[in-house]
Amino acid sequence: MPVTIKDVAKAAGVSPSTVTRVIQNKSTISDETKKRVRKAMKELNYHPNLNARSLVSSYTQVIGLVLPDDSDAFYQNPFFPSVLRGIAQVASENHYAIQIATGKDEKERLNAISQMVYGKRVDGLIFLYAEEEDPLVKLVADEQFPFLILGKSTSPFIPLVDNDNVQAGFDATEYFIKKGCQRIAFIGGTKRLFVTQDRLTGYESALKQHQLPIDTNLTYFATEFLEEKGYQFSELLFNHDPQIDAIITTDSLLAEGVCDYINKHQLNVPVLSFDSVNPRLDLVAYVDINSLELGRTSFETILQIINDAKNNRQICYRQLIGHKIIEKS
């Protein structure tokens, strides 16, 4: 015999209507009650009918994830699977499904998001990237549709979850300076991305604070996060300055190309990258940006935004997740 809401209510010691409100993730139910009800649902292997529930509540129990332009790099980059794992954990805990919006170009992605927003196919959107003058973000902001970005925005009205990437870039650079390095190169992604701009700002600030010269010939920016770009830029760097004594990369795929170049030419130059899992690369250290927590916090925050929107509440949703430098043994 299938398990019913009444069975869950009895096991959790609450009323059936309370179970329904927990399933709908109502903000009026305490976290303690939610945990008790969800535990009973799990123990009884109860699965609510999401379609029926959405008809009653006018909510889909689906969150849309908007991928960056370069979806190939998205699937290759270890940062994103870790973020998705954090998102999926909280989605499962709250009985939400995930729908991915992508496309081969901006027009296709804009069309996919338009269908989600105007067709009310999702309750909210999480943008898994942040860049300047993004027409996709402008669309959902103009429609006052619940959303947030995983990254930075210059607008105080855009909800976001991010690291302090200026400080992270500063800390990465200072890590090498304290080890006696003076010719530190920087290889980042496209300057359209705020994360690249911020880490570059931190890099330059650290050089200035320690009275080291800023040489623009020691910085390169890739339009795509690809291993071959890291290799090509390394070749250009060492042709310009064979005395480079450290390299910072903002991405593990770029770092892989850098490490390949250094190993092939038998150079003794330390490399540092940004990641959230211990990269299988010959790095001296990496900046752990805690992407699992970025994902978890992103989903928790979009749920809060949705619940607040139901009650006509608007607050500034800005969460910063900490980072740390981890030396590899």
Side-chain angles (χ1 to χ4, degrees), residues 214-285:
I214 295 175
D215 184 349
T216 55
N217 290 310
L218 296 188
T219 58
Y220 281 93
F221 304 95
T223 54
E224 299 174 292
F225 292 109
L226 298 172
E227 180 182 346
E228 52 261 39
K229 294 292 183 183
Y231 190 96
Q232 290 167 10
F233 289 156
S234 298
E235 190 169 33
L236 293 170
L237 283 167
F238 285 101
N239 284 340
H240 167 72
D241 185 356
Q243 302 305 312
I244 288 171
D245 52 14
I247 299 177
I248 295 170
T249 71
T250 62
D251 178 85
S252 288
L253 289 174
L254 294 172
E256 192 169 344
V258 174
C259 290
D260 284 348
Y261 182 89
I262 286 174
N263 291 334
K264 182 177 180 180
H265 292 81
Q266 298 181 325
L267 300 172
N268 185 26
V269 177
V271 180
L272 176 150
S273 190
F274 289 72
D275 214 317
S276 283
V277 294
N278 193 339
R280 295 178 181 177
L281 297 172
D282 189 17
L283 303 177
V284 66

Side-chain angles (χ1 to χ4, degrees), residues 130-195:
E131 63 182 42
E132 294 180 298
E133 304 298 327
D134 188 347
L136 283 69
V137 170
K138 185 177 186 306
L139 168 70
V140 294
D142 288 347
E143 292 297 322
Q144 297 185 320
F145 191 78
F147 80 99
L148 67 81
I149 61 174
L150 188 60
K152 177 183 175 179
S153 173
T154 55
S155 168
F157 305 108
I158 300 293
L160 60 84
V161 175
D162 197 11
N163 302 111
D164 184 343
N165 282 298
V166 174
Q167 187 63 50
F170 182 97
D171 293 345
T173 310
E174 190 173 61
Y175 169 83
F176 279 135
I177 293 172
K178 288 182 176 179
K179 290 186 176 294
C181 300
Q182 295 190 335
R183 300 294 292 163
I184 305 165
F186 178 96
I187 299 178
T190 172
K191 280 190 172 182
R192 286 190 302 114
L193 298 175
F194 284 120
V195 64

